[in-house]
């Protein structure tokens, strides 16, 4: 049962709830409400004398009993609380599409107001291992920015996609915290300074990340999937038709082990075992969950789990409290499902198994044909494939494909088209038996599709485009071609194992021609006997995937390269020029808006004078002027919003271009590429940008 409950009678924006001790001792809730406002609830606030309240009336924050409202006046995209210096009082960090505001609730004053060209989609405060103090980490439009206690930028890097979630915890067990990012590009990455320790591709945009003890973390993605990783190993995952809003860790049953707490958009809150995902407790709210925080709301010396719904309902649960148990109907459904499974197993055991099922085998092979990777299945003599079920992540809609031929057949091909260059684990169940049989033999197998399974090995083309040799990347791996050949065998679907011929055409080197089955583009991978690798391609993303995969396989931590992608350079320069023009347009629009606002104030004052003097003609004249100015302001606002959207899109293009350039190097060379590109973009220096892309 809930330890306490209340209702703040306000609509709360989903995912924008936090908690902090703004006076250093009392826990308060802060939540974003409709219209760009922030509601602060302080259950232990002492009544203020009238004079003091009057003194605060001109400031942003206005108290009314236990509630205060802070008017931001623009869309709120992120909320976070924490300490950035030695002060015991928490600060409130507010993220918008253009700025980050650090606000002191107790002093009712700004700490800093930082312009963020990439926006602030999510914010967290934490202690990273490579900084001496707590820092504010801001995830934006394909970038991560770290600010100190004064709002000064002390770190910046690019990521793939808009950052949608952040977490700070010890990932590798060295007693220093690392930074974990999740993006709308379905990628989770772990950063230690400029280096990426680990990354993984998920099946949908990452929505939440939460650190757990023992180098574990909880993640959720936009298709309703929730799971736990232990370092690079996924322990479990579950999938729901509902969407995860927030994840937390809290010892809800008082057994000394933190459970995974999940709030869903349908109002369900559940507590799961971090080891296997088993549901321990759950409750149901009348509206969707807006946020879950830990707060000592009752001042008993230990925190409660505080759940806030979108309708403003607030419930608190203490550690060791008994949450609502599952409904009797759910327990009955579980028992009936187990009963049905046991009855099926009894029928199968009782049935006479024909002799032809003994020692039966199923042949499985991978191939590339007709523009896709394919899994070929073949049954034994006299047997037919009746049904095949394929489960993979990120390949099929819904992650599962069921193939049920109208007529059972001895051979079956399954077509697979992964959207990205990443290894894909594939689980296959095949039902095999003679024609008309009621009892089938089910084969279960697991295969992994190679990272570059959507690239088909071809003969050297008779006609090669003139610009192909002018595009690509060159890097000195200083590794024997035989080891590179092992990587090729692991990364591609090859008709036969690739071997380096010492006395062959390429003098002990490698030359492999590939055709991308997604876009039919031709690529060439070459390596000489000294370990110099050349990737000729017009696709910088493919080149980056090759460099990163080969470096990881060979254990290389530092790698520089020479890069030439004329089309990519032109796109970057065009985006840089558009950003420059759009910033100039934004400055002009701000000046015009300021002029219109001054005129508007003047008209309103004169209109009020005319009303007091009961001058109807003058009032009519001023109202017409007011209407015209208002129309102009609306038009200027529409122009400004379009300009802002264009600016955001071009900044994203620039940041993605920087990321692609950095992926063509490894280690410090990649970090230097990011830093030099960032400096060139800030200085609006196209020549420096081109040099940074080409040479790092």
């Amino acid at each position: 049962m809930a330890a306490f409950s209340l209702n703040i009678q306000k609509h709360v924006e989903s995912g924008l709830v936090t908690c902090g001790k703004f006076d250093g001792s009392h826990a308060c809730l802060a939540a974003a409400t409709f219209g760009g406002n922030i509601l602060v609830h302080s259950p232990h606030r002492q009544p203020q004398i009238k004079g003091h309240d009057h003194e605060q009336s001109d400031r942003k924050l206005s108290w009314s009993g236990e509630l205060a409202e802070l008017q931001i006046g623009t869309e709120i995209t992120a909320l976070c609380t924490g300490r950035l210096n030695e002060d015991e009082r928490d600060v409130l960090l507010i993220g918008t599409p253009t700025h980050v505001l650090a606000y002191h609730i107790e002093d009712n004053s700004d700490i800093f107001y930082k312009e963020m060209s990439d926006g602030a989609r999510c914010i967290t405060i934490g202690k990273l291992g490579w900084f001496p103090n707590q820092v504010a980490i801001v995830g934006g439009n394909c970038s991560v920015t770290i600010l100190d206690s004064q709002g000064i930028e002390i770190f910046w890097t690019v990521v793939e996609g808009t950052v949608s979630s952040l977490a700070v915890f010890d990932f590798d067990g060295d007693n220093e915290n690392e930074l974990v990012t999740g993006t709308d590009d379905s990628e989770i990455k772990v950063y230690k300074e400029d280096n990426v320790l680990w990354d993984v591709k998920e099946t949908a945009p990452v929505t939440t990340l939460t650190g757990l003890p023992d180098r574990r973390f909880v993640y959720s993605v936009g298709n309703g999937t929730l799971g736990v990783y232990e370092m690079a190993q996924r322990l479990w995952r579950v999938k729901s038709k509902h969407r995860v809003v927030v994840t937390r860790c809290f010892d809800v049953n008082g057994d000394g082990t933190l459970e995974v707490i999940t709030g869903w958009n349908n109002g369900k809150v559940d507590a799961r075992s971090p080891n296997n995902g088993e549901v321990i407790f759950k409750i149901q709210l009348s509206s969707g969950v807006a946020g879950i925080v830990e707060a000592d709301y009752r001042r008993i010396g230990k925190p409660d789990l505080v759940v806030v719904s979108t309708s403003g309902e607030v419930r608190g649960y203490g550690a060791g409290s008994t949450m609502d148990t599952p409904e009797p109907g759910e327990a009955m459904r579980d028992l009936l499902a187990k009963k049905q499974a046991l009855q099926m197993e009894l029928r199968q055991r009782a049935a006479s198994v024909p002799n032809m099922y003994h020692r039966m085998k199923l042949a499985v092979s991978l191939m590339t044909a007709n523009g896709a990777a394919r899994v070929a299945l073949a049954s034994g003599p006299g047997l037919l494939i009746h049904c095949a079920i394929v489960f993979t992540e990120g390949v099929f809609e819904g992650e599962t494909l069921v193939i049920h031929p109208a007529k059972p057949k001895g051979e079956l091909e399954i077509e697979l088209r992964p959207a990205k260059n990443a290894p894909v684990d594939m689980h296959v169940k095949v039902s095999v038996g003679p024609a008309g049989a009621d009892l089938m033999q089910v084969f279960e197998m697991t295969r992994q599709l190679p990272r570059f399974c959507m690239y088909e090995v071809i003969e050297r083309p008779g006609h090669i485009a003139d610009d192909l040799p002018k595009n690509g990347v060159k890097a000195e791996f200083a590794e024997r071609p035989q080891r590179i050949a092992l990587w090729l065998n692991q990364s591609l679907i090859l008709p036969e194992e690739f071997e380096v011929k010492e006395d062959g055409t390429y003098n002990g080197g490698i030359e492999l021609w590939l055709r991308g089955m997604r876009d039919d583009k031709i690529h060439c991978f070459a390596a000489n006997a000294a370990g110099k690798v050349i990737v000729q391609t017009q696709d910088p993303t493919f080149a980056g995937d090759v460099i990163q995969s080969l470096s990881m396989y060979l254990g290389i931590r530092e790698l520089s390269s020479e890069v030439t992608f004329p089309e990519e350079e032109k796109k970057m320069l065009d985006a840089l020029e558009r950003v420059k023009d759009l910033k100039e347009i934004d400055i002009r629009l701000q000046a015009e808006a300021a002029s219109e606002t001054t005129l508007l104030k003047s008209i309103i004052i004169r209109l009020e004078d005319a009303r007091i003097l009961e001058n109807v003609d003058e009032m009519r004249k001023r109202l017409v002027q007011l209407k015209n100015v208002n129309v102009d302001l609306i038009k200027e606002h529409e122009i400004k919003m379009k300009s802002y959207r264009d600016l955001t899109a071009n900044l994203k293009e620039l940041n993605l271009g920087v990321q692609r350039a950095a992926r063509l190097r490894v280690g410090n060379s990649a970090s230097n590429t990011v830093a030099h590109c960032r400096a060139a973009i800030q200085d609006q220096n196209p020549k420096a940008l081109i040099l940074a892309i080409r040479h790092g």
Side-chain angles (χ1 to χ4, degrees):
M1 298 297 292
F4 67 87
S5 62
L6 55 99
N7 200 315
I8 55 179
Q9 303 293 330
K10 288 276 189 178
H11 171 79
V12 178
E13 295 292 324
S14 179
L16 297 177
V17 177
T18 186
C19 176
K21 295 181 178 180
F22 302 124
D23 62 354
S25 58
H26 301 99
C28 303
L29 275 180
T33 61
F34 183 76
N37 295 329
I38 294 174
L39 193 71
V40 180
H41 179 254
S42 177
H44 309 292
R45 181 174 181 270
Q46 298 297 322
Q48 302 293 320
I49 59 173
K50 292 183 179 180
H52 189 62
D53 284 342
H54 177 73
E55 181 185 341
Q56 290 191 344
S57 63
D58 294 334
R59 299 184 182 180
K60 296 180 181 179
L61 194 70
S62 56
W63 285 94
S64 176
E66 296 181 352
L67 294 174
E69 197 162 30
L70 182 62
Q71 297 181 352
I72 303 301
T74 187
E75 179 191 2
I76 297 171
T77 55
L79 274 186
C80 177
T81 56
R83 293 167 55 184
L84 287 174
N85 48 37
E86 298 300 323
D87 193 342
E88 293 184 355
R89 300 176 298 177
D90 289 339
V91 300
L92 178 65
L93 290 183
I94 304 158
T96 74
T98 56
H99 291 83
V100 169
L101 170 64
Y103 197 79
H104 217 308
I105 296 293
E106 187 69 15
D107 293 344
N108 202 359
S109 61
D110 296 350
I111 299 173
F112 63 79
Y113 188 72
K114 175 73 172 179
E115 182 178 354
M116 306 293 294
S117 59
D118 296 324
R121 297 295 172 185
C122 54
I123 304 176
T124 189
I125 294 176
K127 173 69 174 67
L128 292 170
W130 60 96
F131 291 113
N133 302 312
Q134 296 263 107
V135 291
I137 307 160
V138 183
N141 191 13
C142 302
S143 70
V144 173
T145 306
I146 297 181
L147 308 175
D148 66 7
S149 60
Q150 303 302 314
I152 299 171
E153 179 183 311
I154 55 176
F155 179 84
W156 184 91
T157 190
V158 288
V159 296
E160 293 183 23
T162 301
V163 181
S164 52
S165 51
L166 295 165
V168 175
F169 63 94
D170 183 9
F171 176 82
D172 57 3
D174 63 351
N175 295 321
E176 290 187 348
N177 289 336
E178 285 76 44
L179 172 63
V180 186
T181 64
T183 66
D184 63 359
D185 196 39
S186 312
E187 190 169 51
I188 300 174
K189 279 189 175 182
V190 180
Y191 288 88
K192 194 177 193 69
E193 299 187 51
D194 295 326
N195 301 320
V196 178
L197 293 184
W198 175 76
D199 65 277
V200 65
K201 287 278 188 181
E202 288 298 331
T203 56
V206 181
T207 52
T208 68
L209 293 169
T210 302
L212 290 170
D214 302 324
R215 294 173 287 178
R216 298 179 180 182
F217 69 93
V218 188
Y219 78 98
S220 67
V221 298
N223 61 6
T225 298
L226 170 75
V228 167
Y229 276 97
E230 183 174 1
M231 292 190 69
Q233 181 68 36
R234 186 165 59 197
L235 297 182
W236 57 267
R237 72 167 196 154
V238 295
K239 191 173 182 182
S240 169
K241 63 181 179 180
H242 302 292
R243 182 176 58 84
V244 177
V245 176
V246 60
T247 53
R248 287 286 181 269
C249 56
F250 186 78
D251 181 14
V252 75
N253 57 2
D255 64 351
T257 301
L258 295 175
E259 284 79 42
V260 176
I261 312 296
T262 312
W264 303 78
N265 66 334
N266 67 333
K268 182 176 72 172
V269 179
D270 55 39
R272 297 175 182 268
S273 166
N275 297 321
N276 53 25
E278 179 186 356
V279 177
I280 300 172
F281 301 116
K282 67 178 177 179
I283 59 173
Q284 182 69 46
L285 303 181
S286 57
S287 56
V289 175
I292 300 174
V293 297
E294 279 188 50
D296 185 9
Y297 235 49
R298 295 179 290 162
R299 298 197 68 186
I300 59 174
K302 57 182 181 179
D304 296 324
L305 187 72
V306 182
V307 182
V308 183
S309 75
T310 54
S311 62
E313 181 184 5
V314 180
R315 294 191 195 177
Y317 295 89
S321 63
T322 304
M323 300 177 75
D324 297 346
T325 55
E327 298 177 2
E330 294 185 14
M332 182 63 72
R333 282 193 293 272
D334 291 341
L335 289 172
L336 287 174
K338 290 179 181 178
K339 178 183 176 183
Q340 187 177 8
L342 290 171
Q343 287 176 337
M344 177 69 72
E345 185 178 349
L346 284 172
R347 285 198 299 270
Q348 290 175 351
R349 289 178 181 273
S352 58
V353 181
N355 291 332
M356 65 180 65
Y357 285 93
H358 292 300
R359 297 182 181 178
M360 187 176 68
K361 294 183 179 180
L362 184 74
V364 184
S365 61
L366 295 176
M367 64 181 73
T368 55
N370 300 325
R374 294 175 179 272
V375 179
L377 305 172
S379 59
L383 299 174
L384 302 173
I385 298 174
H386 291 251
C387 176
I389 302 173
V390 185
F391 172 80
T392 64
E393 294 185 48
V395 178
F396 311 117
E397 186 178 354
E399 300 185 358
T400 305
L401 176 69
V402 179
I403 302 173
H404 203 296
K407 186 178 180 181
K409 52 179 69 174
E411 296 181 356
L412 188 66
E413 280 191 8
I414 302 168
E415 186 178 282
L416 303 164
R417 296 177 182 270
K420 296 178 180 178
N421 298 331
V424 177
D425 289 324
M426 177 178 60
H427 305 276
V428 184
K429 292 183 180 181
V430 186
S431 299
V432 178
D438 294 328
L439 188 65
M440 304 287 174
Q441 174 73 33
V442 178
F443 287 91
E444 294 189 29
M445 66 200 75
T446 301
R447 293 287 188 277
Q448 187 179 71
L449 288 176
R451 181 182 295 272
F452 299 103
C453 65
M454 287 299 289
Y455 294 86
E456 184 179 23
V457 178
I458 59 173
E459 296 292 331
R460 181 186 176 93
H463 173 71
I464 300 173
D466 294 337
D467 54 351
L468 182 62
K470 301 175 185 176
N471 289 264
V473 56
K474 301 177 183 178
E476 297 282 352
F477 278 86
E479 187 59 78
R480 292 180 299 114
Q482 285 79 5
R483 287 203 67 195
I484 297 176
L486 292 175
W487 169 79
L488 287 171
N489 289 323
Q490 187 185 84
S491 302
L492 294 165
I493 298 178
L494 301 172
E496 59 184 19
E497 188 170 307
F498 182 84
E499 293 182 357
V500 179
K501 297 178 181 179
E502 296 293 341
D503 55 348
T505 310
Y506 309 115
N507 298 320
I510 297 171
E511 183 176 294
L512 205 63
W513 290 86
L514 304 170
R515 181 178 65 85
M517 293 186 288
R518 300 186 186 100
D519 51 16
D520 286 332
K521 289 183 178 179
I522 303 299
H523 316 275
C524 177
F525 177 89
N528 63 18
K532 181 179 181 180
V533 172
I534 301 174
V535 183
Q536 293 181 358
T537 175
Q538 294 174 306
D539 185 356
T541 302
F542 169 71
D545 290 340
V546 169
I547 295 295
Q548 294 296 315
S549 177
L550 183 54
S551 299
M552 185 180 298
Y553 180 81
L554 298 175
I556 292 174
R557 296 188 177 183
E558 292 292 336
L559 181 72
S560 59
S561 62
E562 293 297 317
V563 176
T564 309
F565 287 105
E567 286 296 321
E568 178 77 4
E569 292 172 5
K570 185 176 183 301
K571 280 170 55 179
M572 294 276 285
L573 293 181
D574 290 345
L576 184 63
E577 187 63 29
R578 288 194 296 270
V579 166
K580 180 180 177 182
D581 294 341
L582 288 167
K583 285 184 176 179
E584 292 175 356
I585 291 171
D586 185 59
I587 292 170
R588 288 202 304 270
L589 287 173
Q590 286 182 2
E592 291 173 6
S595 176
E596 295 283 358
T597 303
T598 303
L599 178 60
L600 189 67
K601 290 178 180 178
S602 174
I603 293 172
I604 291 174
I605 291 171
R606 295 187 180 186
L607 175 62
E608 183 65 14
D609 290 343
R611 184 189 67 80
I612 294 171
L613 296 173
E614 299 182 356
N615 188 339
V616 178
D617 292 338
E618 181 69 12
M619 285 178 64
R620 188 178 289 114
K621 176 182 174 183
R622 298 303 176 189
L623 284 170
V624 170
Q625 289 178 337
L626 191 64
K627 179 182 177 182
N628 293 336
V629 172
N630 187 53
V631 169
D632 292 340
L633 282 171
I634 291 173
K635 288 180 179 178
E636 287 175 5
H637 177 71
E638 291 174 352
I639 294 170
K640 188 173 182 180
M641 289 305 298
K642 183 180 183 303
S643 175
Y644 170 73
R645 286 192 293 269
D646 292 343
L647 178 62
T648 302
N650 282 286
L651 285 172
K652 183 174 183 177
E653 180 63 37
L654 280 173
N655 288 345
L656 286 174
V658 173
Q659 173 74 359
R660 287 190 287 267
R663 283 178 57 79
L664 296 167
R665 287 102 180 173
V666 178
N668 290 330
S669 182
S671 304
N672 292 337
T673 300
V674 172
H676 293 157
C677 287
R678 166 78 161 169
I681 291 170
Q682 288 182 329
D683 297 339
Q684 296 180 349
N685 187 337
K687 290 184 179 180
L689 181 59
I690 295 300
L691 287 173
I693 293 171
R694 291 181 180 177
H695 308 296

